[in-house]
Every structure is written in structure tokens, then in C-alpha cells.
Amino acid sequence: MKEAFITKEQAEEISRKYPTPFYIYSEAGIRSAVRGLKKAFSWNPGFREYFAVKACPNPFLIKILQEEGCGTDCSSYTELMLSESLGFHGQDIMFSSNATPAADFEYARKLDAIINLDDFTHIDFLAQHGGIPEEICLRYNPGGKFGVGNRFMGNPGDAKYGMMPEQMVEGIRKLMKMGAKRFGIHAFLASNMIDKDYYPALAAVLFKEAVRLQKETGAVFSFVNLSGGIGIPYLPDEQPADIDYIGRHVEQAYREIIVPSPIGSLDIKTELGRYITGPYGILVTRVLHEKNTYKHYLGTDACAANLMRPAMYGAYHHIVVLGKEHEPCVKTYDVTGGLCENNDKFAVDRRLPETVPGDLLAILDAGAHGFAMGYNYNGKLRSAELLLKEDGSVQMIRRAETPKDYFATFDFSDIIKVD
């Protein structure tokens, strides 16, 4: 059974200083995930994880990952700013974006970040806005459907990301004429995969493509970026991705495809976000009301503006009623927020213990694409983010928004003023 990494007593004590709702992250869990990943890929001397900033863009958490040897995967100007402010530069940063503004490319080049080009037309655009670096990466889209055996995993042909095979060849030849000397290849073919064979299958696709491109263009390949895609077990009966198995079987594909080829060796890079922080973030919210009409509803002080995945995707997040973890689940509830939208629900027809106003709920696996996707609809304000440190203490790593923050972008006008 899925459990929270904090108890009711801890949550009640924390809430006296930091009112609900709040996010809380486990430092120990995040460090453990990174160390397990690095161990699984330790066979590759040049392996490096570039944490996907979009998953959880908090500088305190990224600093922890920096201490563990990670770089950052950025997709926007402000994510680059965040990385630079923490001391990341050059090979520490992978810049993977699409529909990229000129200013973003120029900033990435100023930081000497590794550029991962999403489209063939971006070659000339980058040349005009920042210039072509000696080492550059191209994002690959093989098209069609992607799977292992009879297991369907994704549909790259419907994705907006990456270049077609013929564009990869033309792009590399063009970049070589423009001064590029070393190349990487990158692809993102499926999301949130806990199937242990996904990453090895992706690796084989990219290794084979690198060998093909080297043969057709003579280009020097320095790395393959396996991107993200390793998921987490949101459902109680799911098992986590076996990272040791994944590492071993990526190594097997590497030795079968890369080692005997003219390429011989290259570095492996990853851009995981969900896998590293997802299980180690919890949204804690308090039940405000119980409503009984055609269904039983629990109304909380959090809403989809705090965690939009259930409303947006129908995504499942396990909910623990803190202090009632071992009580039987005897009642069926819809767990809702206070937005003026009917999809503002964290759970629909969820079996829980008898729950009453005042109870604290822990919404699990919210450490990636949770707070980061927050918004201000209905004038809702983003919550605080807290860190449960390895020594057991709690640190605020982002304060809760106030109405003054909400109105801050009207600071040019005298129409509205908030103290």
C-alpha cells in the first residue's frame, strides 16, 4: 500500500507554521533516486543526468541535485536564468526547446549550453541568433508507433517534437558545413513509462540512428541523450521502474550496437524529472467541508490550481487520510477543490476511510509537474513549498503567494493598489 513520508503528527505541527495547502518534498528520497540512477549507469564513464527543470523548478531542490552531480535540462529563458543563478554553465546545461524565441537561443549560446535542436529550420535561425556551436544535438522523431513486442508505448508520429530521418541527415551535413564538429542525438518517444523495457528499446533506436547517421555523413558523435520518459507508479498496485534492470539492458544495447561500430564509444545523458522528484513530493491539504447530495464530496483547501493533473488528464494520485492509514476504506468520495469548474477534483469515486472536516489529506506523487503547473484561476494563490531535510527539520523553500503577488503585474497602474 502506498504511504506518505510524513505522519499526521508531523503534518499538524508543520501546518501550525505553514498553513495548508502546502507542498513538501523529501530530501532523502530525491538524493536516493539520483544515486540509484547514477549507479545503474556507472558502466558509462561519461554518464550524466540533466534534471528536467520544468518538472519542479525550485532552486533549493535543484541545488540538491547539483550537489549530486546533475546538470539541468532547460526549455525556456527563465529556466536558463534559474540555472545560471545556481552556477550552472556550459556543459552543465542542456537546452531542449521547441518554437524557440530568438532571445532564448541567444541566452543559451551566451551560457555555452548544449543546444538540442528540435527542427531543421532552427539551424538557420540559430545561426542568426547566437551562432552554431562546435558541439550540438539534434532531436529525432522516427514517426509511426513505438513499442516493445506487442506492448504499445507511444505514437511519435503524432508528436510535435523532433526531425524526420531524412531531415537528420540533411541537418547534420548542413551543420558540419557551418562549423559543427561533434554531435549528439536525442529523442522522447513516450511519457511516464514504468515498463522496464522502454528505456532499453529507446536506447537501441537512438544507437542505431547514430550509427546510420555516422555512416551517411561521417559526423563525429559524442553523446546520446535518452531524454525523460521513465515514470513512477501512481497506482497502488503498480511497481516502480527497475532502474538497475534498465541500466543493464541499455548497456547491453550499447555493447551490441555502439561498441562494434565506427563510433566505438559515446556518453549517455538523461533528462529525468518525474522519476527523480515525483514520488518525493506531497500536496498536503485540509478537508474544509463534507457535502452530501447525489454523491459524497470532500471539499478541500487545495484545488486544481495547486495540482492540475487530475483535472487536466484524469490522472490518478493516491490520497492518504493522515492518521487513518490503517482504517478500512468504507466510503466513496469525490475529493474536490473550490474552483468554479466541475473538473476540479483530485479523485472521483475514491474509496477512503470515513473522513470529516479537519482531516488532513496527503496527495501523493506530486513532486513533479505538480506545483510547476500551478495557476491563478479564480484568484487562487500558489501554496508554499517545504523541504523535509535529511535531519528531520523542515525548511520553507518557497513562501505562499499573497494577494499582493497576484496584483503585482498591475504595478504600472494606479487603478489598483494592494499593501
Side-chain angles (χ1 to χ4, degrees):
M1 197 61 180
K2 296 179 77 69
E3 296 182 354
F5 56 74
I6 57 170
T7 65
K8 177 185 178 181
E9 291 72 25
Q10 286 176 299
E12 289 287 9
E13 181 179 356
I14 293 166
S15 69
R16 284 191 281 273
K17 185 173 183 180
Y18 307 107
T20 56
F22 58 78
Y23 273 84
I24 187 164
Y25 305 94
S26 167
E27 178 183 2
I30 291 169
R31 289 190 188 274
S32 176
V34 176
R35 291 170 186 175
L37 174 67
K38 290 172 68 176
K39 180 175 177 290
F41 283 87
S42 60
W43 54 267
N44 184 263
F47 172 78
R48 194 172 191 191
E49 158 62 17
Y50 288 77
F51 175 70
V53 174
K54 59 182 166 285
C56 198
N58 188 294
F60 290 87
L61 301 182
I62 296 171
K63 193 69 178 175
I64 290 171
L65 298 171
Q66 185 180 40
E67 292 170 2
E68 295 293 335
C70 297
T72 57
D73 163 42
C74 300
S75 59
S76 70
Y77 195 98
T78 48
E79 288 182 356
L80 289 168
M81 288 179 66
L82 177 57
S83 295
E84 183 184 24
S85 71
L86 292 170
F88 292 93
H89 63 279
Q91 294 284 313
D92 297 332
I93 303 171
M94 184 75 62
F95 183 63
S96 300
S97 69
N98 62 95
T100 309
D104 292 31
F105 272 143
E106 289 165 358
Y107 190 14
R109 288 292 292 121
K110 176 185 172 184
L111 296 176
D112 199 25
I114 302 171
I115 306 291
N116 182 29
L117 288 179
D118 178 68
D119 181 54
F120 179 82
T121 65
H122 290 184
I123 296 173
D124 286 335
F125 192 74
L126 176 61
Q128 296 164 12
H129 301 286
I132 302 299
E134 289 191 356
E135 184 175 53
I136 194 165
C137 186
L138 278 71
R139 197 169 193 174
Y140 174 56
N141 187 327
K145 296 182 178 180
F146 178 67
V148 177
N150 61 358
R151 304 198 302 280
F152 173 74
M153 293 187 175
N155 196 346
D158 284 344
K160 68 176 182 176
Y161 309 113
M163 305 184 204
M164 296 185 296
E166 58 271 25
Q167 292 175 321
M168 295 289 286
V169 173
E170 188 178 355
I172 287 174
R173 286 174 174 161
K174 183 170 186 174
L175 284 161
M176 290 173 70
K177 291 178 181 178
M178 300 171 80
K181 297 179 180 179
R182 299 181 306 281
F183 292 86
I185 182 174
H186 169 288
F188 182 83
L189 303 186
S191 178
N192 192 37
M193 298 301 303
I194 57 174
D195 189 317
K196 64 184 184 299
D197 290 314
Y198 165 66
Y199 235 36
L202 170 65
V205 168
L206 286 175
F207 294 158
K208 289 175 182 176
E209 179 65 5
V211 171
R212 179 185 80 90
L213 292 170
Q214 192 280 330
K215 182 178 179 180
E216 293 194 31
T217 67
V220 174
F221 279 85
S222 54
F223 68 88
V224 162
N225 187 334
L226 301 178
S227 69
I230 298 181
I232 61 175
Y234 287 101
L235 295 168
D237 57 351
E238 291 178 327
Q239 295 299 312
D242 185 339
I243 199 66
D244 292 325
Y245 174 99
I246 290 169
R248 289 195 308 272
H249 284 74
V250 171
E251 179 184 13
Q252 180 180 332
Y254 178 90
R255 297 197 181 283
E256 291 176 356
I257 301 168
I258 294 297
V259 172
S261 77
I263 295 174
S265 66
L266 43 70
D267 296 338
I268 304 296
K269 303 180 188 296
T270 57
E271 295 175 346
L272 301 173
R274 192 191 313 264
Y275 175 79
I276 290 173
T277 60
Y280 310 111
I282 294 173
L283 175 60
V284 178
T285 179
R286 194 177 294 277
V287 177
L288 299 178
H289 304 282
E290 181 180 4
K291 178 179 180 177
N292 296 304
T293 52
Y294 302 103
K295 301 182 77 174
H296 298 298
Y297 297 96
L298 296 175
T300 70
D301 59 8
C303 64
N306 301 107
L307 177 64
M308 73 183 300
R309 295 187 72 254
M312 186 175 186
Y313 304 120
Y316 180 97
H317 281 264
H318 197 67
I319 297 176
V320 174
V321 185
L322 292 174
K324 299 182 178 180
E325 292 88 345
H326 303 295
E327 294 185 13
C329 296
V330 296
K331 198 165 181 179
T332 302
Y333 298 100
D334 280 13
V335 182
T336 78
L339 292 185
C340 299
E341 295 291 338
N342 197 45
N343 68 347
D344 180 23
K345 298 178 180 180
F346 296 115
V348 175
D349 295 331
R350 185 73 59 87
R351 296 289 288 179
L352 294 172
E354 186 81 32
T355 305
V356 298
D359 281 344
L360 286 172
L361 307 182
I363 304 178
L364 305 188
D365 300 315
H369 311 290
F371 184 96
M373 297 174 72
Y375 53 100
N376 290 123
Y377 180 59
N378 273 178
K380 296 295 186 179
L381 304 175
R382 292 177 178 85
S383 70
E385 289 184 295
L386 311 175
L387 178 65
L388 178 62
K389 302 182 76 171
E390 289 185 300
D391 64 6
S393 64
V394 173
Q395 177 185 4
M396 181 173 69
I397 58 174
R398 191 192 303 266
R399 67 165 175 80
E401 286 184 340
T402 67
K404 187 175 182 179
D405 297 311
Y406 181 78
F407 294 111
T409 50
F410 295 105
D411 60 359
F412 64 90
S413 171
D414 292 332
I415 291 177
I416 189 165
K417 293 182 179 180
V418 179
D419 294 328

